[in-house]
Amino acid sequence: MSFYPVSSRPAIPGVEVPGGDQGAARAVMVAVPVSALVWPVRADSGGDGRSALLVAGVKPIMAGEPVVWCTVVVTAPALLRRDGRVQAQGRPCDHARLGAAEQELDRRCGPGTIERIAADVRPTGKIKAATKARARREMSVAFAIRAVLLMTVMPDADHREVLSTLLGGLLEVPWRRPHAVPSGTVLSTWRTAIGEAPLLQLQRELLAAVGAEHRDPDLPRVEVGGGLRLGAIDGTVTRMPDTTANRAAFGTAGQAETGYPQIRHLHASDALTRATLAVVCGPAGEDKAGTKGEAEQALLDRALAEQPQVFTPDRLWIMDRNFPGVPRIAALLATGSHVLVRVKSDIRLPRVGPFAADGSYLTRLSGGGTSLTMRVIEYHISVDGQTTPELFCLVTDLLDHHTHPAHQLAGAYRWRWDGSETALREAKSAIHDAGPATGAILRSATPELIRQEHAAWIVATELVHAATRSAAALAAPFRKGPRTGQPVQARHLSFTTARRTLISTVRAGSATASLPEPARAAAHHQALAVIATARVSTDRHRHRDHKIKSRQAFSHAPRGITTRIAPAVVHVCGTAA
């Protein structure tokens, strides 16, 4: 059979596709003359008639000739029936792919990452009894892993819609046996059978690859003096269904009797790209707003013990007021990393020696049998129209005020909002029922599936961030506005648009996987080009009171909440105005 490749969309400006010119490499359509299509099934054959059309005797297409334009669905071995039917061997679930998201995964963790992890999984439980023979044909371990990943970035979709999206047009192929979309019960059974281990392994491998990516000196970053890259550490809680098992395993922060069970997770992120470099999770424990926040502090202790490779000497970690404790700070410094921590107002900071020229001073922090010499930076933030400036007090192990002047560290602390607050909010926007009124909530009813879903959510949202980094690398510089001529960074691209674009590529994921590598690369670039055009405004100098922490539905926003649009003025205490 011969066919004519046709470029379905214009080439991406500035993108070179390996293996040929852009038009041919980007071919995802097949043009076939109508006169060449043949129905192969004999009229007297009976049966269900499931077959594909054949192409016979194709000649060069003439101008004005009726042509059928076909999209590639899958490449699979042919099966020829005695009555002339042409069908495909195999199963739809073996060909399903996650489109551009899976290409981002394979670029970082190696080709066929999900298949490699799935090959070592031995389903357990009563899966054979719970899923009949037909249902078993619709599922596989790799397919179940992909379904869980996709589920975590489709907040409004039920299980059947997730599976329908993942299968795409595969069910329309005339397979050897008829296939249907598996039910939500079948997916739940398979999720239980594969357990949490494969998703946790996938999380470890991806975060390790992301960490290596962020050690590349050519990757854009935010730095302070001495070449220290800024990172941010913060934690949050996420709700889950109120089942007896979930409540017993995770508990709830705040009102133990009336609140939802919650999982507490701690993220170490890059301040500029918002990429997750490390994550640990556990029971909700004490309310984060409590006096000690012991549960979140314990997660930081675990992160230091379990993922020390993240805390490198070239990192300056920014943390909010919920991580006190001299032994904990000493443990983090022992890794070689550096800290910039905001301290609570009730912590005494006795001055040791005179004030430095930049207004900072040294202090001795003692506790838990450990003492540290730290440097204190105090400064006020005032915004036009604000009656009372806000006082910030930071401590750091960077003692040289010449290399790291106070105003530079004060300016660095603002990146905690990008690296932690914004990154966590973006990630939670992908969870089912996310919103300003109800808050994000996971779907699973058992602790093991909660841990599985949480790991899948970390992987899926990090693949969205990976796509924004890849898109930023090929995006044209800003053409207008205050950043005219400047390169586009990942933080300038819409997380929501990136997430939706990746979902849109899932339906064509199997077709993309079947194409030659140049065409696969072109299809991937096409998705990145869409993401690269979805730019958002950043650094708009918008300020709200601290009590407003969630997105407001503006038509119903209560009166009295004001948003100030003005630059914040930083004044370091002890320096001239």
Side-chain angles (χ1 to χ4, degrees):
M1 182 184 82
S2 61
F3 64 91
Y4 299 88
V6 180
S7 178
S8 62
R9 299 196 183 207
I12 306 171
V15 175
E16 294 293 336
V17 180
D21 66 89
Q22 291 180 351
R26 291 175 51 77
V28 292
M29 298 284 290
V30 178
V32 181
V34 173
S35 59
L37 296 178
V38 178
W39 180 245
V41 185
R42 297 196 309 269
D44 59 348
S45 62
D48 58 12
R50 293 186 308 108
S51 175
L53 289 169
L54 296 185
V55 180
V58 178
K59 298 179 181 179
I61 295 177
M62 305 298 293
E65 180 181 4
V67 171
V68 174
W69 302 88
C70 311
T71 58
V72 178
V73 176
V74 69
T75 300
L79 175 67
L80 302 181
R81 298 291 192 179
R82 292 181 179 179
D83 59 1
R85 289 178 294 166
V86 178
Q87 297 176 339
Q89 298 188 41
R91 305 179 300 173
C93 65
D94 292 334
H95 295 273
R97 296 295 184 271
L98 291 175
E102 191 156 344
Q103 289 176 274
E104 291 290 334
L105 174 65
D106 288 350
R107 284 177 59 181
R108 288 162 174 80
C109 300
T113 299
I114 293 179
E115 268 74 19
R116 172 174 52 79
I117 292 176
D120 296 330
V121 177
R122 298 295 177 264
T124 60
K126 300 180 179 179
I127 187 170
K128 292 185 178 181
T131 57
K132 303 298 182 181
R134 175 174 176 173
R136 284 203 302 273
R137 293 201 303 269
E138 314 295 358
M139 297 292 294
S140 67
V141 173
F143 184 80
I145 292 174
R146 291 185 174 97
V148 178
L149 290 172
L150 184 59
M151 176 185 74
T152 61
V153 289
M154 295 183 67
D156 299 321
D158 60 15
H159 285 167
R160 181 172 286 274
E161 184 177 349
V162 170
L163 295 174
S164 297
T165 301
L166 183 55
L167 289 169
L170 288 170
L171 293 180
E172 300 176 14
V173 175
W175 298 95
R176 180 177 182 178
R177 294 188 179 94
H179 292 271
V181 178
S183 68
T185 302
V186 171
L187 176 58
S188 297
T189 302
W190 273 83
R191 287 186 60 197
T192 302
I194 66 174
E196 61 189 81
L199 274 305
L200 290 172
Q201 180 181 348
L202 189 59
Q203 174 187 295
R204 287 191 297 270
E205 292 191 15
L206 178 60
L207 295 190
V210 170
E213 178 184 355
H214 280 74
R215 288 191 288 273
D216 184 351
D218 295 330
L219 188 73
R221 59 271 182 86
V222 181
E223 283 188 353
V224 297
L228 297 180
R229 301 186 180 194
L230 291 185
I233 299 176
D234 201 2
T236 185
V237 290
T238 302
R239 305 183 310 158
M240 64 186 69
D242 191 3
T243 65
T244 302
N246 283 347
R247 185 170 290 276
F250 296 101
T252 182
Q255 301 178 1
E257 296 181 357
T258 59
Y260 275 90
Q262 296 169 315
I263 185 173
R264 188 178 293 276
H265 36 112
L266 183 82
H267 295 245
S269 310
D270 183 80
L272 181 67
T273 66
R274 301 172 187 163
T276 300
L277 305 176
V279 63
V280 289
C281 61
E286 187 181 346
D287 187 359
K288 182 179 177 180
T291 57
K292 297 182 180 179
E294 295 178 357
E296 201 156 283
Q297 296 167 17
L299 291 181
L300 179 57
D301 294 338
R302 278 184 48 199
L304 293 173
E306 298 173 8
Q307 304 180 49
Q309 72 281 358
V310 174
F311 303 95
T312 53
D314 64 340
R315 280 284 180 186
L316 173 62
W317 296 102
I318 307 171
M319 292 178 282
D320 202 9
R321 292 169 288 189
N322 202 45
F323 300 99
V326 179
R328 183 168 293 106
I329 295 176
L332 199 156
L333 297 180
T335 66
S337 277
H338 306 277
V339 298
L340 184 65
V341 186
R342 188 179 182 185
V343 298
K344 295 182 178 180
S345 59
D346 59 351
I347 296 179
R348 295 183 67 252
L349 300 173
R351 181 164 55 89
V352 178
F355 287 98
D358 63 351
S360 63
Y361 61 91
L362 301 183
T363 189
R364 290 291 293 174
L365 290 179
S366 300
T370 304
S371 293
L372 293 173
T373 299
M374 304 289 285
R375 180 163 156 239
V376 181
I377 297 105
E378 294 177 332
Y379 60 98
H380 288 99
I381 292 288
S382 59
V383 180
D384 184 34
Q386 188 177 18
T387 57
T388 305
E390 183 176 1
L391 175 65
F392 285 74
C393 180
L394 312 178
V395 296
T396 180
D397 65 303
L398 302 174
L399 305 183
D400 188 347
H401 67 277
H402 296 291
T403 305
H404 305 100
H407 69 86
Q408 183 186 75
L409 296 180
Y413 185 77
R414 65 164 290 273
W415 285 96
R416 191 189 74 82
W417 278 267
D418 260 56
S420 289
E421 299 286 354
T422 304
L424 289 173
R425 184 167 167 179
E426 284 179 341
K428 283 194 175 185
S429 70
I431 305 180
H432 182 63
D433 274 353
T438 59
I441 184 169
L442 301 173
R443 309 187 192 212
S444 305
T446 65
E448 183 181 36
L449 293 188
I450 284 291
R451 290 187 288 268
Q452 179 196 77
E453 182 182 355
H454 184 270
W457 169 56
I458 296 297
V459 171
T461 53
E462 185 48 44
L463 290 178
V464 177
H465 280 132
T468 62
R469 295 195 297 275
S470 297
L474 63 85
F478 286 97
R479 295 181 179 179
K480 58 182 180 179
R483 291 191 175 85
T484 300
Q486 296 181 14
V488 175
Q489 306 295 345
R491 65 190 291 263
H492 299 142
L493 302 179
S494 169
F495 178 89
T496 299
T497 298
R499 176 175 64 85
R500 292 173 177 170
T501 301
L502 294 186
I503 292 172
S504 71
T505 68
V506 172
R507 291 185 179 275
S510 54
T512 302
S514 302
L515 296 174
E517 176 55 33
R520 294 180 67 244
H524 188 207
H525 281 306
Q526 177 177 312
L528 296 181
V530 173
I531 298 172
T533 61
R535 303 179 185 183
V536 296
S537 298
T538 58
D539 306 321
R540 291 179 291 172
H541 303 304
R542 300 175 74 241
H543 307 273
R544 276 183 174 170
D545 294 336
H546 280 293
K547 62 182 179 181
I548 307 302
K549 298 198 72 174
S550 64
R551 179 174 43 192
Q552 296 297 303
F554 288 100
S555 59
H556 305 290
R559 296 183 181 275
I561 299 175
T562 59
T563 298
R564 304 180 183 90
I565 302 179
V569 179
V570 178
H571 173 66
V572 179
C573 299
T575 60

